[in-house]
Amino acid sequence: MRNNRIKVGNTQAHWNQAGTRILKYSVEMYDSGLNEHKVISAPGMDILRNKIDIQILKWEEKWSKLETRRMMVAEQEASIEEAARMTLEAQEAISIIDNLLTHTLSIDDTVNWDVLKKNEEFPEKIPPKPNPKAKREYPDQPRKEEPVFTFIEKIFKAKKEQKIREYENRYTCSMVTWENQKFEIDNYNQTLEQEFETEVQIWKENVVQWEERKKIFLKEQDEYNKKIDEMKEAYFNLNEDSVVEYCEMVLENSRYPESFPKSFELEYSSETKILIVEYQLPSIECFPTLKEVKYLTSKKELKETHLTENQVTKMFDEAMYKIALRTMHELFEADRAKAIEAVSFNGWVNAINKATGKEENNCILTIQVKKEQFAAIDLANVDPKTCFKSLKGIAGSKLSALSPVKPIQQISKSDKRFVDSYDVADQLDESTNLAAMDWEDFEHLIRELFEKEFKSSGGEVKVTRASRDGGVDAVAFDPDPIRGGKIVIQAKRYTNVVSVSAVRDLYGTVVNEGATKGILVSTADYGPDSYEFAKDKPLTLLNGSNLLHLLEKHGHHARIDLREAKKILSGN
């Protein structure tokens, strides 16, 4: 099959001088890819065609070899480029680790309250007003024409009258047709008016709905911005929860490699003005090890060169000190309310203990520094480990050994809101209607259930003081390093559908408590608005069916009858 790059010209016949006999046939051939040209001749057409096919085959083989060489060169160049790209990425990853501390010095860690606010325009465009369609106009009214008589028609009266009648009939027919057209046009225009009135009515309704949605959108935005202002005011008034929330935002804004965990827990005391930071440090597996990639031409493969074990452990140890100093620097620098006089930092690493083979979470370094003492340090020129030690920080000689140290000061899980709990589940049976339970018993039942749920992972669940104010009913502490943290739980012994406002309140509580998740448990169900609001947020909604399933999972049985509960609770 001839390639498109090969062109064969027209065959030419060559005659002798006498013009009596053909001496030969010839043709010009071109290969644009190889940039070659050849004239082929033969005494006969069959031989010429054979020569053409042979030449095409030669050029195809030559082109194939050339293409193979080009592909090999292209693959080699691509492999060299890939090696260079991987080497650059590896060097950048190592450079990021090396500059963990100096990186933060060029950044203002203060939280910009205005940036937190929402100043968005309502995304929906106002519905366009319908345009009336053009009405049809009446055609011109027929004109009555006066007959023009011929000489014969003037002489003969009958012919004259006949012509008059013809003109009158023609005029009458034209008028009837015109009247019918007017009638049709009137009906058409009337239909247009009715359709337009309907469209205008629908448009007005859509505009009303649009304005309502816009009003809700702007109201929610204003409420959100108002909460930001309230949060800011509470922070500058040194409200403990607000100071913690502000410091959490500071640390959340701090950018680290994606492989590093972003997990920490904070506690602040307005009396001592000490901020305690329980920080989950990256394990050694989170650090890059690739150093360089080369392409070996002889083997046609990429060869990776990795950092030595000593280089990785050295990088790990230095990074731990850098993260500790960087965290304290960010918190002190961002402290616009002058709420913090000292920071107590505990660095924890979750890793496998090679001696026991079990996963452990150990504090490997701890330090407490006053702000004025830290301000005297030029972080751009310090050796991280030497600086850490000079600030009386405590750590093992080799942090990569993960030797645990005792924290100087730890977060206390005690909360004045917590009260002694009591068990309820064993008193349940299949006749118990959960929707009609005493509301305090119901809250303790939820605490008991989740305590059993978190027990396998070493979790702890506590009940808060009864207030019936819609706040936190229970708090769970899940030690799991990935999905764990502080979880707030609300129990709603409801007989009606739970409104979306209750779900919004839960989310607000999650934010205010600095929790990682919120769980709302109800004997009733939730509306679609509640599920829509909870989507993509750290919220879990458990309805009555879910609650009964959770009870059965832990060996308890009960029932939920909302209609019966309404009668019991109303006293009927």
Side-chain angles (χ1 to χ4, degrees), residues 105-151:
L105 301 180
S106 61
I107 298 172
D108 183 0
D109 298 295
T110 307
V111 173
N112 188 330
W113 295 98
D114 291 332
V115 171
L116 294 179
K117 292 184 177 181
K118 294 180 180 179
N119 294 296
E120 303 170 5
E121 292 184 0
F122 186 52
E124 295 182 39
K125 299 296 182 184
I126 188 168
K129 187 175 182 179
N131 293 320
K133 295 179 182 178
K135 293 183 179 180
R136 287 168 59 181
E137 300 292 337
Y138 294 144
D140 293 337
Q141 183 175 344
R143 289 180 298 175
K144 190 172 184 179
E145 297 179 4
E146 294 297 329
V148 179
F149 304 105
T150 64
F151 178 77

Side-chain angles (χ1 to χ4, degrees), residues 54-70:
I54 291 172
Q55 184 59 46
I56 290 174
L57 184 60
K58 287 180 180 179
W59 278 350
E60 287 290 356
E61 289 176 353
K62 190 174 182 180
W63 177 262
S64 179
K65 290 178 181 179
L66 183 61
E67 282 290 281
T68 301
R69 285 196 296 271
R70 285 175 178 167

Side-chain angles (χ1 to χ4, degrees), residues 413-454:
K413 290 183 181 178
S414 62
D415 190 321
K416 294 178 181 179
R417 295 174 299 171
F418 295 152
V419 297
D420 293 335
S421 58
Y422 56 86
D423 292 343
V424 179
D426 288 339
Q427 303 172 22
L428 305 178
D429 56 38
E430 295 181 352
S431 65
T432 305
N433 186 355
L434 298 182
M437 283 181 69
D438 176 80
W439 63 271
E440 276 193 80
D441 287 346
F442 183 71
E443 289 179 1
H444 283 273
L445 171 64
I446 300 305
R447 186 275 314 163
E448 186 180 354
L449 274 178
F450 279 97
E451 189 171 62
K452 292 179 179 180
E453 190 70 16
F454 287 112

